Amino acid sequence: MTHVLIVGAGPTGLTLAVELARRGVDLRIVDKFPQPPTGVRGKGLQPRTLEVFDDLGVIDQVLATGAEYPNVRAYKGEEVVWEGRLDELREPSETMPYPNLFMQPQWRTEKILRDRLAELGHQVEFGAGVIDVEQDADGVTATLEGGERVRSAYLVGCDGGRSTVRKRLGIGFAGETFDSERVMLADIRTKDLDRDYWHVWGTMAQHAVYVTICPLPHTDVFQIIAPGEGDLTALVAEHAPHVHIDEILWRSEYRVNVRMAERFRVGRIFLAGDAVHVHSPAGGQGLNTGVQDAYNLGWKLAIGTEALLETYEDERMAVAEHVLGLSSRLHRERRTRLSDDTNQLDLAYRGSALSVGERGGERLGTYFAEQRGTGFLLLSDTAADHGFKQLPPLDGQQGVILVRPDGYIGYHGEESGLSAYLSGFGIAAPLSDAAR
């Protein structure tokens, strides 16, 4: 029996697979597509996601092959009417090692994670979609296309907004589909635009965008985003007559959806990423929230106690609800300028059963190098040896602080209460710090 079957090999499923593989958890990861998708859907990696990728051991590849977002050049026809940034570039700091939104085409993010997974001894099984799931007290049985039946202790559906796993569980997916708000995406080649700028045609006064053409880093490809539907070439010719599209490599159309699942877990089956929350594209939250789902769930599945697994739905549902509200508000306001409310650094798990004490649930925000790996971190200069990696307390810290493997503070309080906290969640011994 496989311990964890992951359904879906997008950024969410791959993050979870890497997180489990480096902990030595037996897993399979399957995907319905016959080969990795090539089109660029999401491309923005938020600062918190970059911290996760640092911990997973892929940050060097991400930074080497991506880029910070370029300056915007706005036009009226062929005339440049404005140049500037949609955000303020910041220098790295002790509490914010990756302070800026980073551009990385989704296909390349997925390739980097697949390569890391291969280093850890696992491969994605493409062309292996799940068509049915059943569970009992002892495990889950998934039926794959072709008839193979896979038995696992747990199953995680990371299979997108049209999730088969979610539908087979009968979980509602409440929200709105805005049929009148359609968006065209395409990857193109053109020789007529400077690759140092994100090119935009629209009206600043009305916050209306007709078409944007953005260079994708370390490629000869641009991504077009345009509201509406129809002939993309004609749309570009109408608003940017000096731009000729030499080749359309990939294109897609989608309707704006804002939805969240009523449950993130049923028994031994969990849901993550777009399978439980789909967003407006405003603010670049969707892909990043899915990565955080996987990062939250991975270490809990590795320990595997029911008390820990119960906290996944509680913690991530609250975050998803907040982020959906944020992206929807940005969409309504047609806000183009980026701000701190989208970087996901301030998201926390306050109020969770797993968060105890004054700072319980907060992102630690320091000791990033020391947090790399799979273990807990104890901040104290007086605590007895609990078997965790131990570092000096923070300035002004009262009591002890135990940092979860995902970088959030679990326990903050007197040392006398730490053992009861650990035993209450079945954390009998620390996870190994060896894996990176």
Side-chain angles (χ1 to χ4, degrees):
M1 180 194 296
T2 299
H3 192 65
V4 180
L5 176 64
I6 302 168
V7 182
T12 301
L14 288 166
T15 296
L16 180 60
V18 171
E19 178 73 334
L20 292 173
R22 69 178 184 150
R23 298 170 184 276
V25 176
D26 182 44
L27 67 95
R28 287 178 67 178
I29 176 169
V30 300
D31 195 280
K32 67 181 179 181
F33 292 104
Q35 59 189 11
T38 57
V40 176
R41 289 150 288 166
K43 63 181 182 293
L45 300 179
Q46 298 290 351
R48 179 57 184 156
T49 298
L50 296 175
E51 293 177 1
V52 173
F53 286 167
D54 184 317
D55 185 34
L56 296 182
V58 299
I59 191 63
D60 291 343
Q61 296 92 320
V62 169
L63 297 181
T65 58
E68 291 174 339
Y69 272 62
N71 285 355
V72 171
R73 178 173 279 176
Y75 298 80
K76 183 176 181 180
E78 299 183 29
E79 179 188 1
V80 177
V81 296
W82 181 81
E83 288 185 6
R85 292 199 61 81
L86 298 182
D87 61 351
E88 178 183 347
L89 289 179
R90 298 180 177 181
E91 292 297 319
S93 67
E94 183 179 346
T95 60
M96 199 182 298
Y98 308 105
N100 301 308
L101 179 67
F102 200 74
M103 186 185 295
Q104 183 64 273
Q106 184 172 326
W107 64 262
R108 190 186 285 138
T109 297
E110 293 176 4
K111 182 181 185 304
I112 290 170
L113 289 169
R114 283 197 307 273
D115 289 348
R116 175 65 172 134
L117 185 61
E119 290 177 2
L120 295 166
H122 296 272
Q123 302 284 340
V124 176
E125 301 173 42
F126 286 104
V130 167
I131 59 175
D132 196 15
V133 292
E134 303 170 310
Q135 65 177 313
D136 53 46
D138 300 317
V140 182
T141 301
T143 304
L144 306 186
E145 295 174 354
E148 181 185 0
R149 290 167 65 83
V150 180
R151 185 73 172 162
S152 60
Y154 298 99
L155 182 147
V156 185
C158 307
D159 51 340
R162 298 178 180 177
S163 170
T164 298
V165 176
R166 186 191 67 242
K167 291 175 181 177
R168 296 304 297 171
L169 291 174
I171 295 175
F173 203 35
E176 295 180 88
T177 297
F178 298 89
D179 286 309
S180 62
E181 297 189 37
R182 296 176 181 263
V183 178
M184 293 183 286
L185 291 177
D187 298 344
I188 68 160
R189 289 193 176 102
T190 178
K191 302 182 188 70
D192 298 328
L193 291 172
D194 190 326
R195 295 194 62 83
D196 292 331
Y197 293 90
W198 186 349
H199 307 272
V200 178
W201 287 262
T203 60
M204 301 289 283
Q206 298 175 348
H207 298 284
V209 174
Y210 305 137
V211 62
T212 78
I213 306 180
C214 182
L216 299 174
H218 300 281
T219 74
D220 62 351
V221 176
F222 290 83
Q223 182 192 50
I224 289 184
I225 303 177
E229 56 187 335
D231 187 332
L232 197 60
T233 302
L235 180 71
V236 172
E238 176 185 355
H239 296 289
H242 61 297
V243 178
H244 174 73
I245 296 177
D246 298 318
E247 184 179 6
I248 297 178
L249 304 171
W250 170 87
R251 67 167 292 167
S252 180
E253 296 181 6
Y254 69 91
R255 296 171 298 175
V256 174
N257 277 280
V258 178
R259 294 183 178 275
M260 190 171 85
E262 296 172 350
R263 298 285 307 277
F264 282 31
R265 177 197 183 188
V266 176
R268 291 177 171 269
I269 302 176
F270 298 81
L271 297 168
D274 287 356
V276 278
H277 45 73
V278 292
H279 306 246
S280 153
Q285 300 295 290
L287 180 156
N288 295 273
T289 304
V291 167
Q292 308 303 325
D293 290 344
Y295 196 51
N296 180 288
L297 180 58
W299 68 275
K300 296 174 181 178
L301 280 170
I303 296 177
T305 64
E306 180 58 26
L308 266 183
L309 294 175
E310 281 183 353
T311 67
Y312 169 71
E313 180 177 75
D314 176 49
E315 292 186 342
R316 293 310 299 171
M317 184 174 281
V319 167
E321 186 173 17
H322 168 79
V323 173
L324 279 172
L326 170 64
S327 59
S328 297
R329 187 175 75 250
L330 296 177
H331 179 75
R332 288 194 305 270
E333 295 172 357
R334 300 187 183 277
R335 191 198 302 180
T336 54
R337 193 158 192 86
L338 303 178
S339 58
D340 288 348
D341 54 3
T342 61
N343 64 24
Q344 300 200 343
L345 294 176
D346 291 334
L347 296 178
Y349 300 127
R350 297 182 186 89
S352 165
L354 199 49
S355 303
V356 172
E358 182 180 352
R359 295 196 57 190
E362 293 182 13
R363 163 181 165 271
L364 179 63
T366 189
Y367 285 136
F368 290 102
E370 292 81 1
Q371 287 186 66
R372 291 176 185 146
T374 58
F376 291 80
L377 183 63
L378 184 63
L379 306 184
S380 173
D381 57 6
T382 61
D385 183 8
H386 292 271
F388 300 113
K389 182 190 295 184
Q390 189 165 325
L391 293 172
L394 305 173
D395 291 342
Q397 175 183 320
Q398 302 294 316
V400 302
I401 285 179
L402 182 70
V403 185
R404 302 163 21 162
D406 57 359
Y408 293 89
I409 294 171
Y411 179 85
H412 179 202
E414 298 299 321
E415 184 190 349
S416 58
L418 182 58
S419 293
Y421 173 85
L422 295 170
S423 62
F425 290 101
I427 306 171
L431 299 180
S432 167
D433 283 320
R436 165 87 203 280

